[in-house]
Amino acid sequence: MKARPFQFLELPRRMPREVPASVRVLGWQEIHGGFEAGDAAEQSARCLDCGNPYCEWKCPVHNPIPDWLALVREGRLFEAAELAHSTNPLPEVCGRVCPQDRLCEGDCTLNTGFEAVTIGSIEKYIVDEAFRQGWRPDLSAVRPTGRRVAVIGAGPAGLACADRLVRAGIEAHVFDRHAQIGGLLSYGIPAFKLEKHVMDTRRAVLEGMGVRFHLGSEVDGALGGELLRDFDALFLGTGATTPVDAGLPGQDLPGVLSALPFLVANARRQRGERMAADENFELAGRRVLVLGGGDTAMDCVRSALRLGAAQVSCAYRRGEADMPGSRREVKHARDEGVQFLFHRQPLAIEGEGAVSGVRVAASSVGADGRLVLEPRSEQVLPADVVILSFGFRASPAPWWGEHGLALDAAGRIRTTGPAGATSHPKVFAGGDNVRGADLVVTAVNDGREAGLAIARALATTL
């Protein structure tokens, strides 16, 4: 497609086909389809190529977005895929799950009156279609170095690190306790945001590049010591999975669930991997109340709908504008029938023998920004199931301390600089175990940078 100045005036922003809310809640497929080649080229042509690409700077991995938009417009798909992978080892994932409304698209120049370029959907199109047509990363010029690195955690940080290692000729061995790669990409984010065949394809691609996976492997102190001894370096991409404990009275009542175990159990059930430790989360016909306002809370409310809950509500202690998650996800949840209750501070979970509701107080924000509870405003929100989604903290392994790995007061790994070096000369880290709970794309960035740093270190000595 030939570029024309001010094409955005003729072509409105258009997303791929969206499955109607009344239909999509009946299944687990992604709610948006994919672009065809002509649609992707047309939407790419809306880019102004503004010279100072705010979209690129806002992106945590600094994708060269205008450049691969131009390649799509010109029909040069494989070159676009190569360029997308040059900065992002998991572009098809980020195209689906990044909060583009708060990142690249939120800073698109056209967002000031003409609606942003559909960057995320085009990124998804580039990789999905390139893979479908047979494109794969070309590592034919890579020469083995004889070096070996163990990557602990097959989530976004670990996969990004492994990608950069094998591109540098380093043997990457990835260890993870789950049966599939992806970490929370496979076992936390629901399929209506990221269908699991996407991760199956990525696994095949990474294995074709030379990455070796050791799945179903719990890395304890003994195995951790062996890996430190037998490998040239370690990368820790273990995430942050310990739930924040709000200390609510009654939170141990039957019917009170924690967000992450709920999502993981549901993902395992869909994959046919259900384990004895997974609780039986039967929600059909029940009133479900989710406490929290982030993306994980949105994953829970939207999953509850698909599991047949009769009523799904979300209570958040501040206003809608204060919610930490994606505005897009809140819209999807509301479209699907979720009821939102803002300015509700949970005080206790009520019930005798099982949960019956949550006692809350109305809240407002004081002049100093702190939450203020309104007097005589308490009420009980009825619920048969309550899901707690107050965020997550790092989950340090005991053996880290045994090997001198320095942690901060919150249990996060201390690193020096953006490349993930730690207090142990052979250990690097990145993602949520360093940052605390954060975005997929920031974990990808950390893993990429650590992989490059490890390669540089091993090229000399370590």
Side-chain angles (χ1 to χ4, degrees):
M1 174 179 287
K2 185 178 179 180
R4 299 194 305 274
F6 308 113
Q7 196 153 337
F8 64 91
L9 295 173
E10 304 170 23
L11 298 172
R13 172 186 167 95
R14 188 168 61 81
M15 290 286 289
R17 179 185 59 85
E18 181 176 314
V19 179
S22 60
V23 175
R24 69 192 191 220
V25 296
L26 303 177
W28 296 90
Q29 292 76 25
E30 292 178 15
I31 73 169
H32 282 108
F35 277 136
E36 298 294 333
D39 297 323
E42 182 180 83
Q43 288 297 303
S44 295
R46 296 185 69 243
C47 176
L48 284 172
D49 193 13
C50 53
N52 185 15
Y54 298 107
C55 58
E56 183 174 332
W57 290 110
K58 188 69 170 183
C59 172
V61 294
H62 302 307
N63 283 325
I65 295 167
D67 296 325
W68 47 250
L69 288 174
L71 290 170
V72 171
R73 187 189 71 236
E74 296 166 8
R76 298 157 64 184
L77 177 65
F78 283 12
E79 292 172 73
E82 188 72 38
L83 185 60
H85 280 81
S86 69
T87 51
N88 187 349
L90 299 175
E92 78 282 19
V93 172
C94 292
R96 287 169 161 88
V97 305
C98 270
Q100 286 96 6
D101 54 329
R102 290 197 286 124
L103 297 175
C104 55
E105 293 181 14
D107 264 29
C108 175
T109 301
L110 289 181
N111 210 29
T112 56
F114 297 96
E115 294 193 288
V117 177
T118 51
I119 296 168
S121 296
I122 296 169
E123 184 177 31
K124 170 184 168 181
Y125 159 79
I126 290 170
V127 185
D128 286 357
E129 183 61 19
F131 281 165
R132 190 188 70 80
Q133 293 187 24
W135 178 87
R136 294 295 184 270
D138 181 8
L139 272 65
S140 59
V142 174
R143 297 293 176 261
T145 64
R147 299 288 198 156
R148 301 165 71 240
V149 172
V151 175
I152 302 176
L159 297 180
C161 181
D163 174 279
R164 282 340 192 219
L165 291 172
V166 294
R167 289 173 183 269
I170 297 168
E171 202 173 281
H173 292 254
V174 183
F175 297 79
D176 196 278
R177 66 176 181 269
H178 289 300
Q180 306 291 337
I181 75 164
L184 294 186
L185 300 177
S186 294
Y187 292 98
I189 296 175
F192 52 76
K193 289 169 62 176
L194 176 63
E195 291 181 12
K196 302 316 168 188
H197 68 81
V198 175
M199 296 312 301
D200 296 338
T201 299
R202 177 52 66 176
R203 176 179 177 176
V205 169
L206 287 168
E207 288 178 331
M209 295 169 65
V211 177
R212 304 185 187 186
F213 291 104
H214 306 268
L215 303 176
S217 299
E218 190 74 50
V219 178
D220 56 14
L223 180 54
E226 290 180 19
L227 298 179
L228 273 171
R229 181 192 67 214
D230 296 340
F231 285 81
D232 295 301
L234 263 65
F235 175 77
L236 300 176
T238 52
T241 57
T242 300
V244 172
D245 184 2
L248 292 175
Q251 66 183 22
D252 295 327
L253 282 168
V256 180
L257 312 176
S258 185
L260 188 54
F262 165 69
L263 294 171
V264 170
N266 188 47
R268 283 177 175 156
R269 176 165 51 185
Q270 290 181 42
R271 279 189 169 273
E273 300 172 5
R274 199 163 182 172
M275 299 175 65
D278 292 337
E279 295 185 43
N280 186 20
F281 299 136
E282 296 300 335
L283 304 186
R286 309 183 79 183
R287 298 168 299 177
V288 177
L289 176 61
V290 176
L291 303 180
D295 286 340
T296 300
M298 297 307 100
D299 292 344
C300 289
V301 293
R302 299 178 67 198
S303 294
L305 286 169
R306 287 160 173 77
L307 292 169
Q311 175 186 309
V312 181
S313 304
C314 176
Y316 183 57
R317 63 197 179 102
R318 293 181 180 268
E320 182 168 0
D322 302 310
M323 296 177 80
S326 168
R327 304 291 178 266
R328 178 183 60 192
E329 290 303 308
V330 175
K331 179 184 182 301
H332 291 330
R334 183 176 277 121
D335 290 346
E336 292 171 4
V338 175
Q339 300 176 20
F340 285 90
L341 304 166
F342 296 109
H343 296 289
R344 302 294 205 283
Q345 172 68 47
L347 302 176
I349 298 174
E350 305 284 345
E352 294 184 10
V355 64
S356 61
V358 178
R359 181 157 45 90
V360 301
S363 62
S364 60
V365 180
D368 59 357
R370 295 185 179 181
L371 212 61
V372 177
L373 301 187
E374 301 295 334
R376 298 182 297 280
S377 65
E378 291 186 14
Q379 67 176 128
V380 174
L381 305 176
D384 305 309
V385 176
V386 175
I387 301 176
L388 307 179
S389 182
F390 298 127
F392 305 94
R393 301 188 188 281
S395 309
W399 64 271
W400 294 354
E402 297 170 9
H403 294 279
L405 203 62
L407 308 177
D408 68 12
R412 296 171 299 196
I413 301 172
R414 290 187 182 275
T415 59
T416 56
T422 72
S423 56
H424 192 294
K426 291 182 66 174
V427 178
F428 292 72
D432 290 359
N433 61 8
V434 171
R435 295 173 177 268
D438 207 333
L439 301 174
V440 168
V441 67
T442 55
V444 169
N445 180 72
D446 288 355
R448 179 194 71 181
E449 292 304 300
L452 294 172
I454 293 170
R456 289 193 297 268
L458 293 183
T460 54
T461 183
L462 190 69

